Amino acid sequence: MDYQVEILDTKSDPVGLAFVVQKHAEAPLEWGMDYEPTELDIAHFTTLATADHALLQVIRQDEKIIAFLWFNYGKTRIELVSLWTDPDYRRKGLAKKLKMAAEKWGLGNGKKLMTTTVFAANKKMVALNELLGYEIVSYQMEKKLVR
């Protein structure tokens, strides 16, 4: 099947927006992280996803969103914020298709760099990024504070 990437109009599709925000908030759970999104998280992510510098790309199957990529953009760069594919549609090239569409958008809009942050536990995304030519340029490290 030839899946098409479309831009999600966050003003005219509040259901689509809510779906993307909810999946973004729940993503760390898929990697086994100890995290539970709150209503405040959802409200915050909704504000970020509807900002003037944010763009949401989606792929639909029978009107249902089966994959999305959310990115923010500035004068010269794109920052990928969130990428999700429905488990029933994984391994079909949808994530790659979305990333390539973001690259095409960036090139067409004068952007010079595309960046992304990937949780170390998300091994499949690390592998896809390496396949697509991304390079590791920094590490974010954390330490749990316990008493």
Side-chain angles (χ1 to χ4, degrees):
M1 174 152 211
D2 185 31
Y3 297 103
Q4 300 299 311
V5 175
E6 65 181 78
I7 303 298
L8 178 72
D9 183 343
T10 59
K11 290 178 179 47
S12 67
D13 189 354
V15 173
L17 171 63
F19 179 85
V20 168
V21 167
Q22 188 67 39
K23 289 300 180 185
H24 171 75
E26 294 171 351
L29 299 172
E30 286 192 39
W31 318 315
M33 298 185 71
D34 185 22
Y35 167 76
E36 192 66 40
T38 65
E39 288 183 29
L40 185 59
D41 292 328
I42 299 298
H44 177 67
F45 295 148
T46 301
T47 299
L48 294 175
T50 55
D52 289 342
H53 62 276
L55 196 68
L56 307 179
Q57 297 177 324
V58 299
I59 296 175
R60 298 179 194 260
Q61 173 72 42
D62 300 323
E63 300 301 313
K64 174 187 171 196
I65 295 173
I66 59 169
F68 72 80
L69 186 144
W70 163 7
F71 66 86
N72 294 332
Y73 57 92
K75 186 174 181 178
T76 61
R77 70 189 303 164
I78 294 172
E79 177 190 7
L80 304 182
V81 176
S82 191
L83 175 63
W84 173 86
T85 302
D86 183 301
D88 292 339
Y89 293 89
R90 291 183 183 166
R91 311 290 304 160
K92 296 184 184 299
L94 300 183
K96 181 178 179 181
K97 187 175 200 86
L98 286 162
K99 284 190 169 227
M100 299 308 292
E103 281 187 31
K104 182 178 179 181
W105 183 94
L107 287 168
N109 285 279
K111 310 309 177 204
K112 309 277 186 226
L113 182 68
M114 195 154 79
T115 65
T116 186
T117 301
V118 182
F119 284 96
N122 192 351
K123 304 284 187 203
K124 290 179 182 175
M125 187 53 60
V126 171
L128 175 62
N129 286 338
E130 289 174 342
L131 179 72
L132 294 177
Y134 287 78
E135 299 174 3
I136 296 172
V137 294
S138 66
Y139 291 101
Q140 178 179 344
M141 300 176 80
E142 65 181 37
K143 178 181 177 180
K144 291 189 186 209
L145 301 178
V146 296
R147 292 184 177 233

